[in-house]
Structure formats: C-alpha cells, structure tokens
Amino acid sequence: MAVSMASLSCKGLKIAPTNQPIAPFASGSVAGSGFLVPVPLKLRSISSISLKVQGTASPTAVEGGNSDTDTVPVPKVIIDQDSDPDATIVEITFGDRLGALLDTMNALKNLGLNVVKANVYLDASGKHNKFSITKASTGRKIDEPELLEAIRLTIINNMIEYHPEASSQLAMGATFGPEVPQEVDVDIATHVKVYDDGPDRSLLVVETVDRPGLLVDLVKIITDINIDVQSGEFDTEGLLAKAKFHVSYRGKPLIKPLQQVLANSLRYFLRRPSTEEDSY
C-alpha cells in the first residue's frame, strides 16, 4: 500500500525525493539530520521587505534583542500553511529578546526564498516576528516538506547562534547549541489524534518530542499509506513539536479504520527507540 515519495503528488504538498537537493546552501550542517543549514550571513539590506512595527518596542538592526531577564522564555517557531493562499507564514517568538532578525531573513533568502512582508507585534507573551515568504523561482508559497524543514532548522540555528541561552529550551539545542536540553520522555510526550473536519477532509493533530527532520518524516509516514496532505501548520514550542495537518483519502475524510491505521503508524514511528545503522 506504500507509495514512492518520488512519484507522489499530494494536493497542496508536492513530495520531492529525499535524495534531491532542495536549494543551494552555504557551508554548515546538522549532524545526523540529512539537512544542510546555512551558517549566519553578514547583514545585508533587503529591499523587498516592508517592516511594520506595532507596539512601543523598536527592533534593533541586529539579530539580538533584550537578553537581560533571568528567566529564559520558551522559543517558538510556527510554520503556517493555512492562513495565506499565496505565501507561507513564519512566526518566531522568544519572549522580548529578538531584534529585527535581518540575518535570519538573509539566511532564508540564501535558501532561494523571498521574504515579501515582515511584521513585528507585541502581546503579553512577548515580541512576535512574522514573515510571509515565497519561493524566489516561482513567487508562490513553499509546498515541499524538505524545504519547509530546512526553513525551520535555519531559523532555530540562527536563534541559537545569537541567543545561546535558547539552546537549553530547544530539543535541537543538543545539535546546534552549547547547552544540552533536558530529556523528555517520548512515550509521555507523544499524542496523535484524528478529527472529522468537514465533508472532504480530516484533521490530524500530532504532538511529540522535537528533532531534526521531524516534519519530513511525518509527511512521509502519512503519504506512504496513500493519505493526501492538503495543508497544515507545524509549530516548534521549546522541546516539543506540534503539527496540524488537513488530510484526506481520495478526496474524502478518513474513515475510522483508516484513522486508526494512521494514528498507530505515527505512534509506532515516533515512540520506537533509535538504532544506530552499524549496530546490527
């Protein structure tokens, strides 16, 4: 019943073979993840950005903002494919510690992307940096899971580069940062649920321990059992990853037996212990 990633075309998401390069990268890699991540670039002006600031704080012209408070806030990176039909929305929050993130925008540009709009606003949880991004080659939103994951890892890498204290609050701090985060029990942290979501699709909700490559792996597991991923949202909240995918089977919602197959497949994959390739 499994299908090849190379031949699959999902509505809203096009799955590219994982052995294909997704974009030119600068040097630097994520150990064990299969992804190359750009190293921080020098600041350059970005003429295509319209930066609108709401609230009283003024972002600085460097990556770092306020880091004076003792309590380290929970970093959040949200990749939203639902809100805008023409662009992928990325939202980054780390209390009030982030500046204008010009280096992060340049790093995204180095992935072959355009940041077409940027907005900064404040609320009780801190400063939110929100970007609308598109592929430079097409002017459209990003629909390849591999590229979406590269965006996520790039943002987290840059956050830890300029705010090393964030590494203790991120699962990928063990890969990128100087401070190793505490371990989270994956069995306790993993939750998978499927809900009815209208006449032609279902809503899959997954929460688990974060790690590099997770977004791509989730999409592959879903599509390997012939379920289409239409759109969704992938959130990194500290040590956890939270995903919401709109899914369907042949243009219809998932029936209960198929919902159970999907949930069991994801639970098995997410909870199984990792095994080194050369250990058997």
Side-chain angles (χ1 to χ4, degrees):
M1 194 170 182
V3 295
S4 169
M5 290 284 284
S7 63
L8 180 68
S9 177
C10 298
K11 181 180 178 182
L13 281 177
K14 298 174 182 176
I15 312 300
T18 54
N19 62 351
Q20 294 291 326
I22 57 177
F25 290 94
S27 60
S29 65
V30 182
S33 70
F35 292 100
L36 293 178
V37 177
V39 296
L41 306 176
K42 294 183 179 179
L43 286 173
R44 297 179 294 190
S45 62
I46 306 178
S47 59
S48 61
I49 305 299
S50 174
L51 184 62
K52 180 180 180 182
V53 181
Q54 298 175 348
T56 57
S58 297
T60 61
V62 295
E63 200 78 355
N66 178 20
S67 300
D68 296 334
T69 56
D70 294 331
T71 302
V72 179
V74 176
K76 296 182 181 180
V77 179
I78 297 172
I79 298 178
D80 179 6
Q81 293 286 79
D82 282 335
S83 299
D84 191 326
D86 301 316
T88 297
I89 307 300
V90 175
E91 185 174 325
I92 310 168
T93 307
F94 187 41
D96 62 352
R97 301 192 178 200
L98 299 180
L101 302 183
L102 296 182
D103 273 23
T104 293
M105 288 190 282
N106 273 319
L108 294 176
K109 186 177 180 180
N110 199 55
L111 290 176
L113 305 170
N114 285 333
V115 181
V116 296
K117 184 169 60 175
N119 184 41
V120 179
Y121 68 94
L122 297 173
D123 64 14
S125 64
K127 182 188 297 181
H128 300 253
N129 295 67
K130 200 169 185 178
F131 307 135
S132 298
I133 57 179
T134 60
K135 292 183 70 172
S137 59
T138 64
R140 298 179 179 178
K141 69 190 303 178
I142 297 93
D143 52 17
E144 298 94 337
E146 295 86 355
L147 185 50
L148 291 170
E149 178 69 353
I151 291 168
R152 190 174 76 97
L153 297 186
T154 298
I155 292 169
I156 291 173
N157 183 44
N158 271 33
M159 183 185 291
I160 294 175
E161 174 73 19
Y162 289 94
H163 295 277
E165 72 276 15
S167 65
S168 65
Q169 300 289 319
L170 289 162
M172 284 183 281
T175 302
F176 294 131
E179 299 182 37
V180 178
Q182 68 182 45
E183 283 193 26
V184 178
D185 190 321
V186 67
D187 288 331
I188 296 175
T190 299
H191 305 279
V192 181
K193 295 183 179 180
V194 184
Y195 303 94
D196 293 332
D197 188 34
D200 57 0
R201 66 185 188 181
S202 300
L203 178 65
L204 168 66
V205 179
V206 181
E207 180 174 331
T208 191
V209 176
D210 192 24
R211 59 174 175 75
L214 181 59
L215 192 159
V216 174
D217 289 339
L218 289 176
V219 173
K220 185 178 187 302
I221 293 167
I222 298 167
T223 56
D224 274 352
I225 52 179
N226 291 341
I227 293 174
D228 294 331
V229 180
Q230 298 178 357
S231 63
E233 179 179 311
F234 193 93
D235 302 351
T236 306
E237 295 188 13
L239 302 174
L240 300 178
K242 301 177 181 181
K244 293 185 291 187
F245 296 116
H246 298 291
V247 296
S248 64
Y249 179 71
R250 297 182 177 178
K252 300 291 184 180
L254 307 189
I255 60 175
K256 295 299 181 182
L258 188 54
Q259 289 182 14
Q260 193 63 50
V261 169
L262 175 59
N264 289 343
S265 298
L266 288 167
R267 289 191 190 102
Y268 171 76
F269 174 81
L270 295 169
R271 290 175 174 172
R272 69 183 182 183
S274 59
T275 304
E276 297 294 335
E277 290 183 0
D278 57 357
S279 64
Y280 55 87

